[in-house]
Amino acid sequence: MKVTQKIVLSSPARTPFAQIGKALAGYAGHHLGKLVGDEVMKRSGLKPTDIDGVIVGEGFANAPNSARVIANLMGLPLDIPCLTVANNCVSGLEAVAEATRRIMLGEGKVFLVIGEESQTSMPFVVKNARLNKKTNSLEALLKVLPNELPEGVEVRDTLEDGLGDGETSYGMQVTAEILAQNYAIPRETQDKVAYESFKRAFEATGEGRYKPYIMPVKDDEGNMLEADEAVLLREGLVKNPTRMGRAMLMFDNPGIKFDAWKAKYGKDLKKSHGPTVSIFNASPRSDGAAGIIVASEEAAKKLGLKAEAYVTGFKMKGVDPNLMGLGQAEATLGLLEEVGDKIENMDVIEIHEAFAATAVAALEEIKIRTGFDWEKNFDAKKINPNGGSIAIGHPFGATGVRLLHNAIMDFHENKDAKKVLVTACAHGGIAGSMIVERA
């Protein structure tokens, strides 16, 4: 969709992204969202009565309509509409798109948008199981349960179930391997992209470039987490890149027959190399939240909001669930066609790294269909210049908003940048792309 009026992004703020079960484990997703919502309001200078609605993106609900719960916890007016968007890993981007739609339709002028997720809080159908060492994995939990469960009774891990759709797809790590095999993406290429993600994020964090966007959050021991936890934990890897090649593989059987692949893309399954997806070229499991104000330009000027960027177009598009990462290519190419633009005109690309394989496969498909030299642009730091989800972390609902924060960083760091493309895939096969322009 081409956005027909100027839609402002303002006052970005997020928590540090933490590792599952670690620094932010004590917060439910909507509580992380509340912290971010308060910080966004503080930075924006807005009054509660200035907000026309709250839209929250999340993958797993810890509360009924988290947007409404967050708005109530924040003390926002009780009469404003609140909507929770559940579109898996692209939920945060969808929430910003929904705010944009509502402004264009005249249903409001100023929206608080939050993406949040606590993967720690996703239960084994036993609340808080991940907080106790005796029950923080399915295997450990089964050891403390009775030896025999009644027929038909299952203990389920909602996080693992959430990484596929439970009905029509493999788990996400397998969908990444399918793309790695079909596009003949060797592990070395994936490890290069992943290592650069670690290195760029580590350097940007050390130089304080993320600091304007991250609010410190207190952990359950009273310590302040001020930067992305996974980035802080990867200093040794950044200094010793040979560790990339020694990382454990996530999937050891790449020879999957997948007929839908050939039906869609006219290619046979390649078997040019062994398994490739490892724990280091995949995004870590994470907790965190990110927020932003989405407003009409008229309202932004009236309320004194600083315009950080304009949303000028967005598109959501689906692919077969087992080709998940390719949604980023389809949504991007579809969006560019709708707005009448070209990939070469994007000064920076912020692409979600669910896995290095999913990001590279999407970029390869764009290259096949447009000639776009993604390798050259990646080496020139025009793709994920400050690192991506592999290094920073991936709280499902928060990532889409975090990507927009990174786009705003790009405008501040690259004075020549006029357009940034943001794109993310999601389990289930839905993906989203958005173009933002310099304000």
Side-chain angles (χ1 to χ4, degrees), residues 268-287:
D268 288 309
L269 179 70
K270 294 182 174 67
K271 297 181 181 178
S272 58
H273 51 69
T276 62
V277 178
S278 78
I279 60 172
F280 282 174
N281 59 39
S283 59
R285 298 179 178 188
S286 315
D287 302 331

Side-chain angles (χ1 to χ4, degrees), residues 109-155:
K109 296 180 179 179
V110 182
F111 287 85
L112 171 62
V113 176
I114 297 167
E116 48 84 356
E117 204 77 50
S118 171
Q119 292 186 14
T120 300
S121 297
M122 296 178 72
F124 303 117
V125 196
V126 180
K127 192 173 182 180
N128 294 326
R130 297 185 201 277
L131 297 178
N132 191 304
K133 290 183 179 179
K134 293 182 179 180
T135 56
N136 67 0
S137 70
L138 185 58
E139 292 74 17
L141 178 61
L142 290 172
K143 289 179 181 178
V144 302
L145 289 173
N147 292 330
E148 296 184 10
L149 293 172
E151 184 178 353
V153 175
E154 292 182 279
V155 177

